[in-house]
Structure formats: structure tokens, C-alpha cells
Amino acid sequence: MKTPFRYLICIVSLLLVNQVVAQHELYLNVELHPTSKKLFVQQEIVFKNTTKQVLHSLILNDWNHAYSDKNTPLGRRFSDEFVRNFHLAKDDERGKTSDLTILDSESLFLDWKRVERHPDLIEVKLRKPLNPGESSNLKLTYISYIPKDKFTKFGHNDSGDMYLKNWFLTPSRYENNDFVRYSNLNLDDIPNAQFDVQLKLKLPKNLKSFSDLNTSGVSEEEIHMVYNYSGKNRNDFNLFIGQQLNFNSYKNSIVDVVTNLKENRLSSIQKAVVIDRIVHYVNTRVGNYPFEKITVSQVDYERNPFYGLNQLPSFISPFPDEFIFELKFLKTYLNNFLQNTLQINHRSDSWVHDGIQVYLMMQYIDENYPEMKMMGTISKMKLLKSYNLTNVDFNEQYSYFYMLMARKNLDQPIGNPKNSFIKFNEQIAGKYRAGLSLKYLDNFLGNNSVNQSIAEFYAVSLEKQTDRCDFEDLLQEKTPKSLDWFFKTIINSRDIIDYKFKDLKKSKDSVEITLKNKTGITVPIPVYGIKDSKVVFKNWIENVSTDTVLVYPRNDIDKLVINYKNEVPEYNLRNNWKSTKPFVITNRPIKFNLMKDLEDPFYNQILYVPTISYNLYDGLTPGLRFHNKTILDKPFVFDLNPAYSSLTHSLVGNFGLVHLHNRRNHNLYQIRYSINGSYFHYAPDASYMKLTPMAILRMRPSSFRDNRKEFFVFRNIFVNREQNDYTILKPDNDSYSIFNAKYINTRTELRDHFSVKSDLQLASMFGKSMIELEYRNLFDNNRQLNVRFFAGSFLYRNTNSDFYSFGISQANDYLFDYNLYGRSETTGFFSQQYVVAEGGFKSRFDDSFANQWITSINSSINIWNWIEVYGDAGVYKNKYSSEKFIYNSGIRLNLVTDYFEVYFPVHSTSGWEIGQKNYQEHIRFMITLNPEILVGLFTRKWF
């Protein structure tokens, strides 16, 4: 049963949402100017007030204007997600709406303004109040500048073809006693009120057009072709313009499908069979499509591809061509079908659309390809049979993609607004979780309940505005049991579910086992009895909030498994089964696999992979790495990498032990305990051994989309160095221990970066503190300014050696933190490696170290693309000498910021360096070859 509070919320919401039951009328007269990519628009809007309120103003969606500026909500979102091409684009590539005039039915000008913080919304002030039941006619003229398609794939391309979306002005959806006011964020969720439309489009004769609207006529004028389109009860429509539109029509008894979805290896007949099968499937499961035509374009698919298929190189081709086309078409057709018909708020109630889409995709695979594996035909290769990655069913990948984020503690409630999701959740994990949730509910309820609710909800949504409460009510009607656990926990929270078995007791005839709820989150969970890998029974266990004892017949089963088919989005499947066989040594035997694998809940996995590294003193260092890092994060990880030094002919390597403690719903969201060790050579025939116990406390703001990262690091570094005669700097003792505490607070996006780093080091021989500030800004004129400030001072110093002193132009890496290829070199190529540390100067000076204090400023600004000029200046103080001021300047090739950079010194305190002898030895370089660090370049836009 529905709780009284939720029942009241839904009733109020339904009363407010469903006030608008009729559509407005739009009349568009449009002429394209192909050279300038402008649409000259004359438009009439007949706005019908079907609300119960008197309206004094109207809100129109002008989402084309979202492209007008780098600082619009769309521009800021691109910056958040490191989409560089929008910021660097020319003004005429971005698009906008200009020269707008609005008249009323008496041809009097109406006042209008762009809504504060929403420049792509227009508020029109009416001359007189519009009462319920009355209509108001607005006459508009404006110019739509169409953006380049490289930003969102909507707009015009280099060939002159156009895919137009959201280019005209539309009345906004009305709900909760107001117009919906939100901006274009490239989420395909424009809140248009339903409308009837008539479009007259004038094009040069060399261009063609088609739309998913009905074609009501094509005529020829002196220099134009005129296309007439019409449609009723629309939320939006698509318009394609080009010289050669490579679309094909596949018409059946249900709908005319117009598509250019790419799959060159299939014939038209094969495509027609696939399309007909999917159209009939969706028609049977959801309902009749209300319009005559639907477009399924390659652009639609590329905007929302099937993740997994699109990541595989074409030469691998683990799936049949027909299956690839079928899955692409199924995903895109379902998305467009639901987008065009469901009258929901696609931003606030996105889980409904996503859940239905993914749920139907999963059912389609179950019905038509029940034996299909996640890796397709690769699963049949005997060499890969031992990998869980090749054995899991195709539909299980949805759970793994969701769990990828849950294990990182980055998952979000799928009931949250779409614009609050980080990109990976918005495009992948959240969608998949929504589909998995409906499948979970359907498995629990049975009787085809979810399918019936989807069809009924679709029918209601064709008639009126709806929201999630409508869908929830239909689901609740299918069972006498309360589904509050489903809506509260599965949809509207990020609470994790985790059950386990403990205390197995066996008698002659029965098995008694305790089912434990590890997290206290109570949802139905299935328990399976397995014998010889076959399911003997399945029981849904409900209301397990504390330990519950279960009793089953012993002779019928050899294994008890919780959530055997992964129907419940459970956090940890590794503790879900117990064997009833006697003399079981381990519940989860060890399995070795080469390279990487998916997590297998029935085995302890040890992965091994060949490695190779390099430094000047060990040479090429081949090794073999053993670890238990599967694709999903684990609470405990070990990593052992022994290697062979080709120069010293000795064993080197490193190891790490990590325990992750994720704290759900806390600002302090993760604590990482670890102990790491390494043994390599730091000079010819001189080794070092480093051991570091460490704790990292990671903080995050309340908004997951905030790019701020804040953490504390506490560690103790133990170092033991072999003595050598090669290095000039030597510590007082070759074994030393340093306590290190850091605080780091950084916020990075495309347009700007700011970070604060403080560092405290304490040891018997010294104590020092440091602070570093970094600022980077990409201005509107595409100039990028980089500024770094560093200040460090010794608190105490009980040594005469400069071993622990501040480095002025070279990292003084006594902690062995940096990946220096020739860390002890003072001349030659390897000595020119540069890392941003301490003084940060690129030129060499007479003094290499500061043993009392140092302050410095490092800055650069680009002069053309990635070519920059840099300048460093600072003051440092050494014992028994006065302060010294130094500076340097030069050219910086900022190829990949913080990863690959080259510095050419020009002038410094030492004079003109560019004309000095052996200038090539003055050049510095920064290079990062660590794959784990480089991965951050690609994942930062997703996480």
C-alpha cells in the first residue's frame, strides 16, 4: 500500500501537472540562407491558457540561443566536461537567435526579456491578463543562426548538411503553477508544451529537406523549393536539410521509419527485416506510435551510442553485423519513440524514460538472443574460456557498468534530476540502473506487471501531461504489497544493498543457514538452491532487516546462493554463496588470469600481466605483476610487481596493499589506507628501498558535478639508500624517516583551474612547511594564463647537507615521489627532465638549492595555440648569505598541460641563454608515460 505522505504528494502533483490537456498552435514560415547558415523565421503562436491561473506573461524556449556565448549554462557545462571545441570556436560557428520582435494580435509590440541565468528562455509580458480558457496570438520574427554540429552533432556540418533540433521558439511546459524554466544543457530534454504545427520551408533548389512531420506538399518557385509540413500533438520534431540526404524509408503497417543508420555490410532487405521486427516488438510492448513517420538517424545514435559496442575496434567484430545493426536501431528507435510521445518532464523524471528504454532492450535480448554473451563470438575461443568477461550473459553488462560507479562511490539516485548527474551516470550508469530496477521489480512481482504498467502509462501519456507519480501508481496497482521500498530505496536513494550468508549448519536431512543484512537496507532478495549448476528452487525473502535463519532440505542442493542471477542491484556478490558439500577447503577457490577480467563472485581472482619500465640505472626492466584489481573497485587490493634490472642484473620492483573504506552520504566520502614499497636504483650500482604507510581522506562537495577535489594525506616515508660516490648530495644518514602531512584542494575545468596545496614534513634532521597556489584561466579571447606561487621555509634544520633543501630549478626528490628517469644526473639529457616542484624555475643557476626559505612565481600565457611565453621570478635565502632575487623567461610548448611540455629558455638572471654555448642542454622537458596517470586525461570528462 502507498504511504499517506507519498499518496498526498502524488495527488497534489497530478492535480498540478495535468492541468494542461490541450496543445498550442505554431505556424512557421522559414527561409534558409545557406551561405550564412541563417534561418529567417516568421512565426505565429496561438497560446491557449488551459491552466486554472490567470497568466500575465509567457515563457518561450529559445534553446538555439544557448550556443550564443561561452558563458551560457550550456557553455559552462561544456567547460565542466572539458569540451574544448566550443570555447575555442569562432563566434559565427556557435549559433544564436537575433533580431527578435514579438507582436500581439493587434500588431502591437510586446515587451520581452531573456530570463536571468537562463539566456535561452524568453519571458513575454502580455498587454492584458490571459484568463483560463482564453487564447493569445503572438506574431514573431527572428533569425536563427544555426551552430556548427561539432558541439552537439545538431546543426550544420562542413558539407552544408543540417540536422536541426530546437531551432525555433516554443511555449514552455506548464506545471506546478508555473512555466518550467530550465536551460539547454545538451541533455535532449527540452520542456516544450504540446503543440500542433504547420511549417513552410523555403530552400534553394539545390537543397532537399525531409522531416518526421507529415509532408503536406512540395512546390517550386522561381529560385526556391517550398516544403510544407504539418503535425499534431507534438513535443518537438526533427528537420534535415542537405544536397544528398542518404536516408531510406522502411514502411510497414505501423509506421514509416526513415533512417540512415550506418551498417554497410547489410542489404536493404536485411535491414528491413530487423526494422520490422523491432517496430512490431515495441508496438506490442508499449503501444501504437501516434505519428505517421519516425526518424532514426546516425546522429541520434552517435549522441547516445550503445556503450560497449562503440568502444570495440571494427576489426575485432565479435558480434554478427545484423546483431550490431539491430542493437543500434533498437536503442535509438526506443529513445526517439519515447522522446516523441511521453509527456513527462524529461529532466526531473528522466528515470522513467531511461528505465523503460533499457528494460525493453534487456527483454528484447532475453527473447531473441538468450545465449548471447557480453563478448559475443570471443566467448567461444577456448583460450579465453576461463575469463569471467567472456562467460557473462550479454545483459549482465548493464549491472557491471552501474556497479563501476557504485564501487567508486560515485553513483547517484536515479530519481534525481538529469542535470545533476555526472556524465557517466547521465549517459551510462544511471540509465542502466533504471532499466535494471524495473527488471528487478518485474522479477519480484511476476505476472507481467511491469510490462502492463508501461503500456498503460504510455496510453495515459498520449492524452495528457504525466509524471513519475502516474507511473508509480500504475506499478503499485499491480500488487497488494507496498512498493515504497522500491521508490524510496531503489529509485530515490543511493543506499547500497548487501546480503551475505553465515553460520551454515548441516544435519542429515536439512541445511540451516543465517541470512545477514550487512547494510540494514531492507528490500526483497532471492535465495537459490543449486545442484549440479542447475536451479532447484528460488525463494524471495522479504523484510530481512536483521539476521534471519533459513532452513532447506539438504539432499536436493549442493550450494545455496543469494541473488544467483544478479536480479538485485547488490553491492557485493562475492559473499553470496555457501557450499553444502563436506570437506570444502575454501568457499571461493583461487583462479589465475592473464591481464584483466571482470569480477567473478565465485572465485578469488589473481591477475598477472607482463610489465616493462625504464630508468637510467636499471635500464629496461621487464617484470610480472600479480594483483587482484578487476574492473570493479574492491575494498582490499594487493599489487606485487617483481622485475629484473637489465643493467644491474638484480631483482627490483614494487608492491602495494590498499584498503578502501567508502562512506556513503558523507562529505568525507572515502578513506584509503595503504602501505607501499619499492626497490630500484637511484644511481649507478646504488639502490634505494622505500616503504610508505599512508592514509588518504577524500572530501567532496554536495554536488557530484562539482569538479572540486579535496583531500588530506598522512604518510610516513622510510627510505634506505645504498652509499655511492656518484651523487654530490648525500644525507647525514643513508636511512631516514620522514612524516609528511598534506592538504590539497583543487577545482579544475576547461576554463579555469585553482588549487591550494600545503605540505608539512617532519624528521629528526629537519622540519619544513610549504604552500603552493595554482591558477589557470582560459579567457574569452582564448588566451590562457597560468600562474603558480610557491613558498617554503625550514622550521628547523640540524644538518649542513643540502640533501633536504628546497630545489630551485630541479626537484629535490629525497622522498622518491617523482618518476625521474635519471634522478641523480646533473648533466646530459636526463638531467633536463622537468617537474613542477618547489622553485619551479626552468633555467639553471649557480645555486641549485635554498636551505632556509624560498618564494617563487611561475607564469605563462599563450601567444598562439599551444605556444606560450613563460616567466619565473623569486627570492630565496641560504644560511650565511643574503637574499637573492632570480628570474628566467622563455618559450613553452604546452602540448598537453601537465603531461607533455617542452621549455626553451631565452633570458634569465644569467643573461641571454639562447645565445650561449651548448644551448640544447638548457632545454627542459616534461613527459608522463605512466598509463594510470594518462588515463586521467580521458576519464576526467566522465567522472
Side-chain angles (χ1 to χ4, degrees), residues 31 44 63 68 84 86 207 209 273 295 322 403 467 490 493 510 554 590 598 650 673 745 832 842 873 883 893 934 937:
E31 181 177 342
E44 182 177 356
W63 275 24
S68 62
R84 191 175 179 84
F86 186 78
L207 296 179
S209 169
V273 171
T295 56
E322 185 172 335
M403 196 55 64
D467 72 356
I490 305 300
S493 83
S510 64
R554 179 175 180 179
I590 294 175
L598 284 180
S650 62
Y673 304 98
N745 190 329
Q832 295 170 231
K842 287 80 179 176
E883 299 90 346
L893 303 185
L934 290 173
L937 272 175

Side-chain angles (χ1 to χ4, degrees), residues 716-862:
N716 208 93
I717 302 99
F718 300 94
V719 176
N720 186 10
R721 299 175 4 132
E722 286 185 344
Q723 293 183 0
N724 74 93
D725 297 325
Y726 186 79
T727 57
I728 298 174
L729 286 180
K730 300 182 186 300
D732 294 327
N733 297 302
D734 286 315
S735 295
Y736 51 88
S737 170
I738 300 173
F739 171 76
N740 182 210
K742 295 182 179 182
Y743 169 73
I744 301 172
N745 190 329
T746 177
R747 187 178 186 277
T748 304
E749 60 180 60
L750 175 69
R751 292 181 53 187
D752 59 74
H753 160 87
F754 181 76
S755 68
V756 178
K757 301 176 183 178
S758 62
D759 195 327
L760 174 68
Q761 297 179 14
L762 302 174
S764 59
M765 304 300 295
F766 75 95
K768 64 181 181 180
S769 63
M770 295 159 278
I771 187 168
E772 178 182 307
L773 307 178
E774 286 186 351
Y775 173 74
R776 182 167 64 238
N777 189 283
L778 182 60
F779 295 101
D780 285 347
N781 62 2
N782 296 335
R783 296 286 185 202
Q784 179 166 292
L785 173 66
N786 302 271
V787 179
R788 172 182 177 267
F789 170 79
F790 175 83
S793 175
F794 276 91
L795 305 176
Y796 58 89
R797 186 169 174 268
N798 302 319
T799 177
N800 292 321
S801 170
D802 274 325
F803 186 77
Y804 304 109
S805 296
F806 295 104
I808 294 176
S809 60
Q810 187 79 17
N812 192 10
D813 191 26
Y814 51 86
L815 297 181
F816 295 93
D817 281 342
Y818 302 114
N819 188 22
L820 298 173
Y821 301 108
R823 63 177 58 252
S824 298
E825 301 303 294
T826 56
T827 60
F829 175 77
F830 287 97
S831 70
Q832 295 170 231
Q833 184 181 355
Y834 174 77
V835 295
V836 182
E838 300 180 341
F841 287 85
K842 287 80 179 176
S843 298
R844 308 292 180 89
F845 301 97
D846 293 337
D847 289 333
S848 298
F849 303 100
N851 58 33
Q852 279 196 295
W853 56 262
I854 183 174
T855 63
S856 65
I857 294 179
N858 316 115
S859 63
S860 66
I861 189 168
N862 67 314

